[in-house]
Amino acid sequence: MSSQPLRGSLTTPRIVFLVVAAAAPLAAMVGTVPLAFAIGNGAGVPATFVLAGLALLCFSVGYAAMSRKIVNTGGFYTYLARGLGKPPAVAGGLVAVIAYNALTVGLVGAFGYFVQLIASDYGVNLPWYLFAGIGLALLAFFGYRQIDLSARVLSVVMLAEIGILTVLAIAIVAQRGAAAFPLTTFDPKTFLAPGLGVALMFALISYVGFESAALYGEESRNPTRSVPRATYASISVITVFYALISWVAVGAIGVAGVTETATSQQGELFFTLSGDFLGQAATVMMQILLCTSLFGSTLALHNGANRYMYVLGRERVLPQWLSGVHHSRGVPHRASMAQVAITALIVAIFALAGLHPYTNLATSMLGLGTLGVVALQCAAAVSVLGFFRNRPDRHWWRTGLAPVLGLIGLGTAGVLLVQNFAIVTGTTSPIVNLLPWLLVIAAVAGVAYAWWMRANDPQRYHGLAETPARQQERETPLCPLWPEPALINGNQRYANHASSYDRSREGAQPGRRSHA
């Protein structure tokens, strides 16, 4: 099927807003940092954010190098196809669909819970699922509009939440002076204290969504420049901001008391700091911005989820109906509607079962989604090595050492997530803690389906993860570690098709060296 292309209207700043909003800085500070203080390495958390940022920057070097060569809404799906082969790509695509949908569902649950909690403080007592329903209605509205509208809304949300935390940091520094930046935080004895692994796990959870810049390649005006720049800018902004705000929080509380204080206050920690240093009015504003932060993150991840569904629908890995693009707005409106319907169904099931929106719905879905994204990041790091393996433009740092270092950091985080999944979800329920197996089942099913397609529909198999605009990188061979189907089963029809394609390429581009 020849699907209508997405509209290319995004600039680099707008992609940055979409990406940073997905990471939800205020929600990360309020919800994740106190946990890292309490059960991680305490005052060493700011240094842990720096370590996590460096690991993700290493990953981003190779990720950005691929994004300069590949323009496709498929994100991880396309990168895995070009670096590892099409069966791993189909597996990764299905894992991405589950992960991004799970993250969206979890954030809708968190949004409903926190809005209900804050509304009840002001005498508005309504069930959480009504507020979740309002959030879903807003998702449906923005998902049916041009991506520019989402980018503009998310830019306002992101600037507001960063603004309130910056004002809090300035107030703490004004009162504490140099004591707001305790050097003990970066002392190896503090940083390497027991709990570093758990703190690193929570730190990396706070970055989920930064990798989504590549999903907007087909919708950007200059994708080969915008996507790499947005990736670097996003990870740099997130790292500096997280490290700085958590460092100032340690200075406000005191190095000696940060673990005990965070353990007792947990999600109230930053609201308490706001009340102490800014006053009650600022605290109310922070509570409101927490809700908008959660919605902004939900909207950004909803956009990521529906673009994976759109691409896999376009490839007929998922129902082809999902590949519909709105005739005037140029957005994947059908995939957006499907994502909203999936979220509504899961939220309704949890609500009817009387389960808690945060401790049951949000934590389990966010844990599942985070694990899926980290697994995809590890696979993408390996795919960078495969993609540039035999290319003349490979580079010892950008396409070699940097992805390896990123893989080590992300692989460590993945192991920690699996080992501490019960801590992430906050429950010992065997049903919840078996959720990671859904990712394994999806990956196995994806490989099996790709094998079936290769044997029974080689022409469709050959078209998987191809650049719609048929740009140069459409011609890049897959990793030789995963041979082409003609070399595996001797399918003559496919061999003739591939052979004629190669001849036409050589005729169209005389004198160009083939990398095959």
Side-chain angles (χ1 to χ4, degrees), residues 462 466-467 470-477 494-509:
H462 175 63
E466 296 293 337
T467 303
R470 302 192 179 278
Q471 300 183 16
Q472 174 185 338
E473 287 309 313
R474 184 183 189 279
E475 303 157 6
T476 302
Y494 178 84
N496 291 339
H497 179 86
S499 177
S500 63
Y501 176 79
D502 289 338
R503 285 195 298 272
S504 66
R505 175 172 65 118
E506 291 168 3
Q509 301 179 20

Side-chain angles (χ1 to χ4, degrees), residues 7 9-11 13-19 21 141-142 145-160 221 295-296 299 303 329:
R7 178 168 296 174
S9 58
L10 291 177
T11 60
R14 287 179 178 177
I15 296 176
V16 172
F17 288 134
L18 287 166
V19 172
F141 172 81
F142 286 109
R145 292 334 186 250
Q146 272 184 243
I147 189 66
D148 286 36
L149 179 59
S150 293
R152 288 194 292 270
V153 170
L154 291 174
S155 67
V156 174
V157 169
M158 188 196 77
L159 291 173
R221 294 176 183 174
F295 176 75
L299 177 57
N303 286 331
R329 299 189 176 103

Side-chain angles (χ1 to χ4, degrees), residues 13-37:
R14 287 179 178 177
I15 296 176
V16 172
F17 288 134
L18 287 166
V19 172
V20 176
L26 181 56
M29 289 297 103
V30 173
T32 304
V33 169
L35 289 174
F37 282 153

